[in-house]
Amino acid sequence: MSKEEEIGKAFDVKLFQRVFGFAKYYGGIFWTVVLSGIFSAAFAVFTPIIVQYIINKALDAKNHGQLLTAILVMGGVLLGQVVFQLLFNYFANLLGESVIKDLRTRLFEKMMSFKMTYFDKSSIGLLVTRTVADMQRIGEIFSQGFFVIVADVLKMLAAAVVMIYMNWRLALIVFAILPVILVATRLFQRAMKVAFIDVRAQVANLNSFVQERIAGMKIVQLFHRERIEKEKFRSINKKHRDAWLKTVWYNSIFFPVAEISNSIGIGLVVYFGVIQQIESVRDTNIGTIMAFFFLMELLFRPLRQIADKFNTLQMGMVAANRVFKILDTDSHINDSGTLELPHIKGDIAFSDVRFGYSKDEEVLHGISFEAKAGETIAIVGATGAGKSTIINLLNRFYEIDSGTISIDGIDIKDFKLASLRSHIAVVLQDVFLFADTIANNISLRADTIGLSDIENAAKQIGVHEFVSSLPGGYEYNVKERGTMLSSGQRQLIAFLRAYVSNPEILVLDEATSSVDTYTEQLIQEATDKITKGRTSIIIAHRLATVKKADRILVKDAGQIVEMGTHQALLKNGGFNGALNLAQFLQEEQVA
């Protein structure tokens, strides 16, 4: 999206209404903000009126009682102004935080429903920026933007009315200064609008770059990329600095202009006010001139702040536009199925399935195979042959282009998505663990899985001893991505996670390809146990696993080129079967 497009949408009325649509759930807070803003403006203009009264009446009358009464009234007015300003600030912020809490939850829920294709093409750093930083900008629409602007406009209107009532001649002199500030404010607002869009873009780029490099720090250091990445970061950081300096430059120009205009206005009021008093013009006196000083502050200060608050509002609207763009993205798996079966047998059938991660690059070319309930199917083939793609499609992480995938003779699209995935457990080669305890990483905080269930499952598959040896046992915190564990230990945790969910269908995606011999032995023993009585699909690198499979599917270039048992494939002497199995045998001998 270009800057021009974002600027054009930055004050879209429909977008503004959509943002405020989230405030309808907090009507009491909303009206508290509105009423406190009105009363705050009313109390603000009472102070100049009392000042005029004190100077013109109480001092001239030299009446101590009258003066004391006026001072007490002023104190009450100032106290009321402080109280209502406090209520205004607190509840405006409360409304903003409440809205972004709901909006952030909806955004996170939306992202969890996206297809994997969306995440394949999106920057994680950018999505984090939308969920965190941009949400805060939206909150500022309420806390520092719209309501503050409305409250300031009310103060300005009230001040202007009181000025005209006190002395319309001096009021016209003050109003003559307004066009200068209004023009300066408009120019400032337009310049800052472009500048802040650039700032948000640079913040997103910086977040994305830093997050990606931290996640891939091992690669950076292994390949001695420190200097190159530092130079890239220096360039991105410089653009970020320059974007912010542009906003500083515009502020440095605008606010002195506003201050000079204000000073000129004060000078003109004093000059013409004194002349009018000398000439005994009606309604012109010292009290009125002093009151005008306060009223001008109420008129000009909000006008200067409105420029700044308008930019805050502008940034919030740009952020809202970006967030709603994600919310409006139609990239979710169609969860229109109605079946929610408590149990399944586990018969799996792929029938002429075609699929590509992009429209012009097909990965699977009409594959068909069946796995009967309780069977173990091994899938072998070269890297890029589409082995893992089969698993992704079975879980409906992606939608197939044509053909059908069925479980127990039922198209998987007819299942509710949550129900479908509840019957399938997957152990991936690249295990992801959350920064949490081992127990929580295994149960994933499911209410139906307790610590005793986890311990019993661990004992059954021979993992309990390993977990118990860790400090704290099942309460051991593995830190972010499980960095406190070795790759083999992470595999064992992932294996236990799959087993404790008691699935009817088990998928092992190269689950033993990067573990040591001892860990592999544990996993092989566990595999024999948990695959018994379950439909199992194993993407294997090890001969031991392949030999035990009921059938082996040999994949090549997106097609199943051979199928059969280990012995049958070797006996038939098929080129692909022999080539793949010979490779397994060679790896086994080397190991």
Side-chain angles (χ1 to χ4, degrees):
M1 181 180 291
S2 66
K3 289 183 180 180
E4 289 76 10
E5 288 174 322
E6 289 199 73
I7 291 172
K9 293 182 179 180
F11 232 95
D12 191 308
V13 175
K14 291 183 178 180
L15 178 63
F16 187 77
Q17 291 175 340
R18 188 174 179 183
V19 172
F20 265 78
F22 285 86
K24 66 183 180 182
Y25 305 107
Y26 303 96
I29 299 175
F30 178 87
W31 287 110
T32 301
V33 175
V34 172
L35 292 176
S36 59
I38 293 173
F39 281 109
S40 179
F43 274 92
V45 297
F46 279 136
T47 301
I49 296 174
I50 296 173
V51 168
Q52 182 194 41
Y53 174 82
I54 291 174
I55 294 175
N56 291 342
K57 303 293 184 182
L59 290 181
D60 283 348
K62 297 180 180 181
N63 187 321
H64 292 284
Q66 193 176 16
L67 178 61
L68 180 60
T69 301
I71 295 297
L72 291 175
V73 171
M74 177 179 284
V77 169
L78 293 174
L79 179 62
Q81 186 178 352
V82 169
V83 169
F84 283 110
Q85 190 63 44
L86 185 150
L87 291 173
F88 176 81
N89 291 337
Y90 176 78
F91 283 100
N93 278 274
L94 178 60
L95 181 61
E97 292 299 322
S98 299
V99 166
I100 64 175
K101 174 182 69 68
D102 295 343
L103 189 56
R104 185 181 283 125
T105 300
R106 183 173 297 188
L107 178 64
F108 186 72
E109 183 180 15
K110 177 75 173 183
M111 289 193 295
M112 286 195 297
S113 70
F114 282 155
K115 301 176 184 177
M116 290 297 109
T117 307
Y118 182 86
F119 298 103
D120 293 340
K121 299 178 181 179
S122 301
S123 163
I124 293 178
L126 185 143
L127 293 177
V128 171
T129 299
R130 298 292 176 263
T131 309
V132 181
D134 281 342
M135 283 295 177
Q136 289 304 129
R137 295 298 183 187
I138 295 174
E140 290 171 0
I141 292 176
F142 299 90
S143 62
Q144 301 179 34
F146 175 75
F147 287 114
V148 176
I149 291 174
V150 171
D152 285 345
V153 169
L154 287 176
K155 290 178 182 178
M156 292 170 61
L157 290 175
V161 170
V162 173
M163 281 183 179
I164 294 173
Y165 176 78
M166 285 185 174
N167 189 314
W168 64 269
R169 298 176 184 84
L170 291 180
L172 291 178
I173 294 172
V174 173
F175 296 160
I177 307 296
L178 284 178
V180 177
I181 300 181
L182 288 173
V183 171
T185 300
R186 179 57 180 168
L187 294 175
F188 175 70
Q189 177 267 322
R190 292 178 63 182
M192 289 293 280
K193 185 191 300 183
V194 177
F196 275 131
I197 290 175
D198 192 26
V199 166
R200 300 310 305 154
Q202 297 306 325
V203 168
N205 290 339
L206 191 63
N207 286 346
S208 180
F209 182 89
V210 171
Q211 181 163 344
E212 190 174 47
R213 267 55 184 185
I214 290 176
M217 189 57 67
K218 183 179 292 185
I219 299 299
V220 171
Q221 294 182 357
L222 280 174
F223 290 90
H224 310 292
R225 296 272 302 180
E226 292 92 342
R227 184 181 60 81
I228 296 175
E229 298 301 333
K230 178 183 176 181
E231 291 304 317
K232 286 184 178 179
F233 180 79
R234 189 191 300 274
S235 175
I236 295 174
N237 199 28
K238 181 178 180 296
K239 291 179 180 179
H240 178 264
R241 180 204 64 182
D242 293 344
W244 274 109
L245 284 179
K246 191 177 293 184
T247 68
V248 173
W249 171 248
Y250 293 145
N251 278 287
S252 300
I253 294 175
F254 171 74
F255 285 103
V257 170
E259 289 296 332
I260 291 173
S261 300
N262 185 46
S263 300
I264 291 174
I266 292 174
L268 290 175
V269 167
V270 172
Y271 177 75
F272 286 102
V274 171
I275 289 178
Q276 290 179 22
Q277 187 176 19
I278 292 173
E279 296 177 353
S280 299
V281 175
R282 183 175 175 270
D283 295 334
T284 302
N285 46 56
I286 299 299
T288 301
I289 295 174
M290 291 298 296
F292 260 73
F293 291 166
F294 287 94
L295 291 169
M296 287 176 62
E297 183 69 11
L298 288 176
L299 186 64
F300 290 145
R301 183 180 62 185
L303 191 59
R304 295 196 302 271
Q305 292 178 345
I306 282 176
D308 185 46
K309 299 307 178 184
F310 188 84
N311 285 310
T312 298
L313 176 62
Q314 192 74 59
M315 290 177 67
M317 296 302 290
V318 171
N321 187 45
R322 291 171 168 172
V323 168
F324 285 131
K325 184 179 179 182
I326 297 177
L327 286 173
D328 294 338
T329 299
D330 184 17
S331 183
H332 64 281
I333 297 293
N334 184 14
D335 191 11
S336 58
T338 57
L339 289 179
E340 192 169 7
L341 302 180
H343 299 287
I344 60 172
K345 291 191 301 181
D347 290 329
I348 301 173
F350 276 61
S351 178
D352 195 26
V353 173
R354 293 182 176 274
F355 170 75
Y357 291 101
S358 58
K359 293 182 179 179
D360 56 348
E361 188 175 349
E362 193 174 72
V363 176
L364 299 182
H365 310 300
I367 68 168
S368 299
F369 71 90
E370 291 184 2
K372 297 298 183 182
E375 280 190 332
T376 297
I377 304 296
I379 303 177
V380 301
T383 301
K387 303 186 298 297
S388 296
T389 300
I390 292 177
I391 310 308
N392 290 331
L393 297 180
L394 181 62
N395 282 278
R396 290 195 69 195
F397 290 141
Y398 302 87
E399 295 283 25
I400 61 176
D401 297 329
S402 64
T404 58
I405 302 174
S406 62
I407 295 178
D408 292 352
I410 304 170
D411 194 317
I412 60 173
K413 293 181 180 179
D414 294 333
F415 287 91
K416 285 187 176 181
L417 200 56
S419 177
L420 170 69
R421 292 174 180 172
S422 70
H423 298 297
I424 304 172
V426 181
V427 179
L428 299 173
Q429 179 183 6
D430 184 17
V431 178
F432 185 93
L433 298 180
F434 296 96
D436 206 335
T437 65
I438 287 180
N440 287 336
N441 268 290
I442 293 170
S443 68
L444 297 179
R445 297 185 178 272
D447 296 333
T448 56
I449 302 175
L451 182 58
S452 60
D453 299 317
I454 296 172
E455 291 179 348
N456 290 334
K459 291 175 182 177
Q460 291 175 25
I461 64 173
V463 182
H464 178 70
E465 184 178 347
F466 145 65
V467 177
S468 299
S469 67
L470 296 171
Y474 291 91
E475 296 304 314
Y476 180 67
N477 193 310
V478 301
K479 304 302 180 183
E480 187 175 358
R481 298 184 66 88
T483 55
M484 301 303 292
L485 301 177
S486 68
S487 59
Q489 290 172 330
R490 291 196 294 271
Q491 286 287 359
L492 289 172
I493 299 302
F495 216 79
L496 185 53
R497 176 196 289 169
Y499 180 55
V500 79
S501 65
N502 194 28
E504 289 91 344
I505 298 174
L506 177 68
V507 177
L508 304 181
D509 188 355
E510 301 181 345
T512 62
S513 62
S514 59
V515 299
D516 56 72
T517 305
Y518 173 71
T519 305
E520 181 190 352
Q521 184 179 355
L522 288 177
I523 292 180
Q524 288 295 345
E525 292 173 357
T527 300
D528 294 339
K529 184 171 183 60
I530 70 173
T531 56
K532 187 176 181 180
R534 291 185 175 89
T535 308
S536 302
I537 298 178
I538 303 175
I539 298 175
H541 273 175
R542 307 285 180 152
L543 181 62
T545 305
V546 173
K547 289 172 65 175
K548 294 178 181 178
D550 296 304
R551 270 181 300 152
I552 300 170
L553 308 182
V554 182
K555 289 192 86 274
D556 183 46
Q559 293 180 319
I560 297 176
V561 293
E562 294 178 61
M563 185 184 308
T565 64
H566 172 231
Q567 294 297 330
L569 288 177
L570 289 178
K571 183 178 179 180
N572 292 338
F575 175 77
N576 288 287
L579 177 64
N580 280 280
L581 291 175
Q583 179 182 355
F584 277 109
L585 182 59
Q586 182 180 14
E587 290 178 355
E588 193 74 8
Q589 290 173 343
V590 171

